[in-house]
Amino acid sequence: MWTFCDSTAEQRTLLCVYKLTILSSVQVVPDEAKDQKYWTRRERNNYAAKRSREARRLKENQIVLRANFLEKENVALRESIEEITRENERLKERLSSCTCR
């Protein structure tokens, strides 16, 4: 459903297309057909939509937090690799200069 975009203009265009697709499938109910059953359904649908949006926001926030954590961990691991590589080179140099053979 969603694709990644390089620019905000491209994101806005995709969002507009998505909204138009949703809006084109909306059916208008005439006023005389809006009985108690209709309003009960609307109320339930509005509540479900609100819960769905909140769940989506929560999931998006969790993804952002996880991405930030992984980025920091990645930096730490890269630094650790660099440090271990330097130590490995130092030990190789020390071993090659050894006259114990």
Side-chain angles (χ1 to χ4, degrees), residues 23 53 57 72 74 83 87:
L23 291 177
R53 285 189 295 269
R57 266 188 234 110
K72 288 177 184 177
N74 190 23
E83 182 181 330
E87 183 179 2

Side-chain angles (χ1 to χ4, degrees), residues 58-76:
L58 180 63
K59 187 176 270 190
E60 288 173 355
N61 288 341
Q62 288 173 341
I63 290 171
V64 168
L65 289 174
R66 179 79 173 143
N68 288 337
F69 169 77
L70 291 173
E71 285 173 4
K72 288 177 184 177
E73 187 177 34
N74 190 23
V75 168

Side-chain angles (χ1 to χ4, degrees), residues 7 11 17 29 38 60-61 66 81 89 93 101:
S7 68
Q11 288 172 342
V17 169
V29 177
Y38 168 84
E60 288 173 355
N61 288 341
R66 179 79 173 143
I81 288 172
E89 291 300 320
E93 182 67 33
R101 300 181 186 180

